[in-house]
Amino acid sequence: MTVPDSTFARSEDQRFMALALALGRRGLGSVWPNPAVGAVVVRHRNGAPIIVGRGWTQPGGRPHAETEALGRAGGAAHDATLYVTLEPCSHHGRTPPCVEAIVAAGITRVVSAIEDPNPMVAGEGHARLRAARIAVEVGVCAQEANHDNAGHFRRMRDGRPHVLLKLAVSADGKVALPGRRPLSITGDITRSRVHALRATNDAILVGIGTVLADNPQLTCRLPGMAARSPVRIVLDTNLRLPLASKLVQTARDVPVWAIAGLEAPRDAEEALRDASVEVLRTTSSKSRVDLRATLKLLAGRGITRLMVESGPRVAATFVTANLVDEAALFRSRKVVAGSDGIDAFEDLPLSALTQSSRLTLRAIETAGEDSLELFQRV
């Protein structure tokens, strides 16, 4: 049976776009405020496809994936196909538009996973390529590209970061011992997975209660990945963040932002700033900063992907406010004896997350002796 050429072409496009997506993921957590894009340049020799260039968005958001791939391809990009996980930019920023580089390289076909919702692009990149008589196909692996670019899309469309809520609970749904005493719930493999999650997010957020109870460091401590540690953010309405805390003591190495209310003490702010902690103020009510205002503030500073690794109070507030876009729920086999252990959410059952009509269970995985349930917004 002979398979039509169009079927071969679709299979080839999906294969190379899958590679471009994998390359793009290398930039997650390190390229904000730009999206993490991947690109592959392919040309045919004697009827067989050959990769002549690969690229992904570099740390800090520049150079872009397209120019990286084209630069590696050099003259071999002429008459080739470019696979890119997001519509190429068409506007002048700190660098010229990628569209211009694509045209100048002699690319004859562009396969783009999805259109960029950025109003400065929004279809104009594809239109300019077509105007230059370059064949453009949009939509290959669009679902995967949507997921990988969720932070960029959320920031463009809703003016806030994409929020991932991470929870680790015992077999009976507890996160701490009575009196909010810390409890080691999960195993080493889960802890490594959590550090990997930190590395793929721009920032990690906790409440001041977690800092006072646990004195966390919130860095990525996988071997060789310290530089991938996210910005560490503390919801701290009244600026109680201790100067002796691990966060403050390491603020010169990994950024720390304290989100304070408008009435927080100025002397506390000055002391934290002297220790290299950046203090950002926003509206607050009942001793809590406004979450939506906080997320808008973070998006304005370029944060696209936010991991929430907080205690029961802040976690419950995110769930109640419908601000959870993804959730990673690690379940341990350990049981916290007694009924006085601290529940995952304050004043909410765990089912508020696991049975929410706003979230769907995407996958269940094993993590050593623990299990991991992944949820995403419907």
Side-chain angles (χ1 to χ4, degrees):
M1 178 179 177
T2 302
V3 181
D5 289 345
S6 60
T7 302
F8 279 124
R10 284 196 299 272
S11 176
E12 184 175 292
D13 285 349
Q14 290 171 351
R15 179 159 60 99
F16 289 120
M17 186 62 77
L19 172 58
L21 287 163
L23 291 171
R25 293 184 195 111
R26 296 185 180 189
L28 290 175
S30 67
V31 303
W32 59 279
N34 287 356
V37 178
V40 179
V41 182
V42 178
R43 65 178 302 149
H44 285 78
R45 292 176 184 162
N46 300 322
I50 298 175
I51 297 171
V52 295
R54 312 179 191 208
W56 55 93
T57 311
Q58 296 299 292
R62 295 287 193 281
H64 287 183
E66 298 94 322
T67 54
E68 283 285 293
L70 292 171
R72 291 186 171 95
H78 190 74
D79 288 336
T81 295
L82 172 69
Y83 294 87
V84 61
T85 59
L86 185 67
E87 177 183 9
C89 64
S90 55
H91 60 286
H92 282 269
R94 286 186 291 168
T95 55
C98 288
V99 166
E100 292 183 0
I102 294 169
V103 173
I107 291 289
T108 56
R109 179 172 179 252
V110 171
V111 181
S112 172
I114 198 165
E115 185 176 295
D116 190 345
N118 185 338
M120 291 189 290
V121 186
E124 182 63 21
H126 292 149
R128 288 185 58 182
L129 291 172
R130 292 187 177 106
R133 298 186 178 181
I134 295 175
V136 177
E137 183 171 349
V138 183
V140 176
C141 297
Q143 183 175 355
E144 295 91 337
N146 258 308
H147 181 267
D148 291 354
N149 288 290
H152 175 64
F153 291 175
R154 186 70 63 189
R155 181 169 175 261
M156 288 294 115
R157 292 169 175 165
D158 296 341
R160 67 169 178 84
H162 180 85
V163 174
L164 165 69
L165 175 64
K166 172 262 172 182
L167 293 172
V169 300
S170 64
D172 50 345
K174 307 297 182 180
V175 297
L177 294 169
R180 297 188 182 272
R181 288 177 292 145
L183 169 68
S184 179
I185 296 174
T186 52
D188 291 340
I189 293 178
T190 288
R191 283 189 281 274
S192 293
R193 288 290 299 269
V194 171
H195 284 282
L197 284 174
R198 290 176 180 177
T200 60
N201 281 272
D202 309 339
I204 182 170
L205 180 146
V206 297
I208 185 60
T210 295
V211 176
L212 296 176
D214 300 345
N215 193 20
Q217 195 166 335
L218 303 178
T219 51
C220 176
R221 294 189 292 281
L222 294 176
M225 294 188 67
R228 297 295 299 268
S229 295
V231 174
R232 299 167 297 171
I233 299 171
V234 183
L235 298 181
D236 189 9
T237 309
N238 298 307
L239 287 181
R240 295 185 292 153
L241 183 59
L243 296 178
S245 66
K246 292 179 181 178
L247 290 176
V248 175
Q249 291 296 306
T250 58
R252 289 182 171 85
D253 303 315
V254 181
V256 176
W257 299 352
I259 310 297
L262 300 177
E263 305 302 321
R266 296 289 170 179
D267 56 344
E269 176 178 349
E270 183 176 348
L272 288 170
R273 288 191 185 278
D274 287 344
S276 297
V277 174
E278 189 163 0
V279 176
L280 308 175
R281 291 178 181 264
T282 188
T283 55
S284 61
S285 175
K286 297 179 180 179
S287 297
R288 295 186 184 183
V289 293
D290 184 283
L291 272 191
R292 292 187 183 277
T294 296
L295 294 184
K296 182 178 180 180
L297 178 66
L298 297 180
R301 295 180 65 86
I303 300 298
T304 67
R305 294 168 59 87
L306 177 68
M307 180 176 173
V308 176
E309 197 173 339
S310 61
R313 179 179 297 177
V314 172
T317 304
F318 270 91
V319 171
T320 302
N322 188 23
L323 291 172
V324 176
D325 301 305
E326 286 189 87
L329 174 61
F330 294 92
R331 291 186 188 264
S332 170
R333 296 180 183 179
K334 296 180 181 178
V335 174
V336 177
S339 60
D340 293 333
I342 305 302
D343 292 328
F345 298 131
E346 184 175 85
D347 299 327
L348 283 179
L350 186 58
S351 60
L353 172 74
T354 59
Q355 298 178 27
S356 170
S357 60
R358 301 162 178 166
L359 299 167
T360 184
L361 180 63
R362 178 166 59 89
I364 300 178
E365 303 175 5
T366 58
E369 295 184 353
D370 307 317
S371 65
L372 168 60
E373 298 169 22
L374 296 169
F375 297 84
Q376 67 182 25
R377 183 177 290 277
V378 176

